[in-house]
Amino acid sequence: MHDKHLLPIPAGDLLYEAASVACLAPSIANTQPWRWSVGDGTLDLRADRTRQLTIADPQGRLMILSCGTVLHHASIVLAALGAAATTQRLSDPDDPDLLARLTITGLHQVTAEDMRLHHALRTRRTDRRPFLGLAPLPDEVIALLCNASIPFGVTAHEFDAQQTGMLGLAVQSAAIIENHEAAYREEAATWTRRDPSARDGVPPASAVAQVARTVAVRDFAPAGTPGLAVGPGDDRYTTYLAFSTVHDTPADWLRTGEAVSAVLLTAATLGVATSVMSDVVEIAGARALLHAAIGPDGYPQLTLRAGVNESAPPIPATPRRPAAEVIGKN
Ligand SMILES: Cc1cc2nc3c(=O)[nH]c(=O)nc-3n(C[C@H](O)[C@H](O)[C@H](O)COP(=O)(O)O)c2cc1C
């Protein structure tokens, strides 16, 4: 069936559902910098610049990357519901915030993988604790993670031990430079100490205390008490990946977000714990170090840590804004 009019329920209802569930996607500091509009069989995605981190992310790279994660999440929901949809990535100089359009084209034969990814989307969490695994992730698992980014034209590069050391230094220098700046500290405080009614930001409940490790994780409870115990892990066998693109345009940032979503959800289907790290790409010098570490062929857009932590206590869900605030009608 290739006609949206033959769907058993209205396309607009399906798209509203997809947009609302997709908001479980990860975003920089849980800013949820997106807006959806539902039309007749189409769902438009826009960046919400009022939610941009203007100090940490002045270009809006991580804002658009975050919009890519929500775009990919929406496509996963539609697939699991059995709706065939196309994704158009848009680039209109007169309307730069309009990023993409999903269009329902008919019915889709749901696969087991669609269902696994959809389930993962509802249960995935950012895990900032040191991972416990006593051995490296199997090569087969790392290949599954890296391959998930290929359809988006994004490379996921695995760090070897030496590159991991360099990543650690780059992250450390980025954190020193950022925390030295009052405006950065103020912006970080804004998004880590939110009024609960805003239903956004990173709550202390999902933060972890600072501990010595090869690659530090950003401190999300600088003035408060982190909610997660460090646990017995020490990140000894944690795998680090860098996502990179051949160019460095908004279209590349959007596709990186889609790739990151695909990799995070694939990891979650395998029980692999993850967290992404952007501090190292927020500071030009640290990003250049990373660029040198992974080779000159691509612009690093984001890094990710992955490992085994299934025995650790569950992480509470971070809040999301109500669907009605984020989804409008055309
Ligand atoms: C572009 C981007 C950058 C992020 N940067 C960091 C980071 O530097 N450190 C970190 O611990 N988490 C980072 N995160 C994870 C978000 O803080 C997290 O997704 C958000 O708080 C929602 O929580 P959840 O992933 O558990 O749903 C980032 C996420 C995205 C999409």
Side-chain angles (χ1 to χ4, degrees):
M1 189 195 299
H2 292 290
D3 184 349
K4 70 179 164 57
H5 299 292
L6 298 177
L7 291 171
I9 69 167
D13 292 353
L14 272 175
L15 289 167
Y16 192 95
E17 176 70 11
S20 106
V21 177
C23 292
L24 293 172
S27 57
I28 175 82
N30 198 22
T31 49
Q32 306 164 55
W34 46 66
R35 279 205 63 78
W36 292 108
S37 26
V38 180
D40 180 26
T42 60
L43 179 62
D44 286 357
L45 173 65
R46 288 177 169 279
D48 179 351
R49 275 187 202 270
T50 64
R51 302 188 147 260
Q52 181 178 347
L53 301 184
T54 51
I55 305 296
D57 182 31
Q59 278 185 290
R61 180 154 37 95
L62 298 165
M63 171 189 70
I64 292 189
L65 202 157
S66 300
C67 290
T69 73
V70 84
L71 176 63
H72 179 259
H73 268 51
S75 74
I76 293 296
V77 181
L78 288 172
L81 292 175
T86 55
T87 301
Q88 270 173 281
R89 296 162 188 95
L90 306 171
S91 151
D92 178 354
D94 294 330
D95 192 358
D97 294 344
L98 178 60
L99 300 177
R101 174 167 300 153
L102 288 164
T103 304
I104 291 201
T105 54
L107 289 176
H108 161 75
Q109 180 88 46
V110 183
T111 66
E113 184 63 0
D114 294 331
M115 303 206 55
R116 278 193 284 267
L117 291 171
H118 185 234
H119 181 64
L121 176 160
R122 291 180 170 274
T123 52
R124 180 207 59 81
R125 305 268 188 275
T126 293
D127 189 345
R128 301 184 176 91
R129 297 170 293 196
F131 299 145
L132 180 58
L134 303 179
L137 288 176
D139 288 346
E140 185 194 350
V141 168
I142 294 173
L144 285 169
L145 300 186
C146 292
N147 289 346
S149 78
I150 293 174
F152 304 95
V154 175
T155 303
H157 169 98
E158 184 194 354
F159 287 85
D160 62 23
Q162 197 187 352
Q163 292 167 332
T164 300
M166 204 138 149
L167 173 67
L169 287 176
V171 167
Q172 200 182 2
S173 52
I176 291 170
I177 293 167
E178 288 195 315
N179 285 307
H180 188 68
E181 201 183 335
Y184 170 82
R185 292 198 304 274
E186 207 176 297
E187 185 175 74
T190 306
W191 289 97
T192 51
R193 282 186 244 142
R194 299 296 275 177
D195 182 330
S197 66
R199 307 205 52 76
D200 57 13
V202 183
S206 68
V208 65
Q210 292 294 292
V211 280
R213 34 176 152 172
T214 310
V215 182
V217 164
R218 199 200 299 258
D219 186 1
F220 277 103
T225 310
L228 294 174
V230 172
D234 64 4
D235 267 342
R236 182 173 311 210
Y237 289 110
T238 294
T239 294
Y240 296 90
L241 302 180
F243 294 90
S244 67
T245 51
V246 176
H247 302 289
D248 196 22
T249 67
D252 298 297
W253 308 338
L254 187 74
R255 283 188 294 101
T256 304
E258 294 177 76
V260 167
S261 168
V263 173
L264 291 176
L265 295 183
T266 302
T269 65
L270 293 159
V272 172
T274 52
S275 73
V276 293
M277 300 177 299
S278 57
D279 36 9
V280 67
V281 294
E282 290 163 16
I283 295 296
R287 194 180 183 209
L289 266 181
L290 188 58
H291 205 155
I294 65 171
D297 293 341
Y299 290 89
Q301 303 293 358
L302 198 66
T303 57
L304 174 147
R305 44 192 292 280
V308 175
N309 220 23
E310 290 252 283
S311 53
I315 297 173
T318 48
R320 291 296 186 274
R321 300 162 70 209
E325 262 184 35
V326 186
I327 312 173
K329 297 232 156 88
N330 263 348

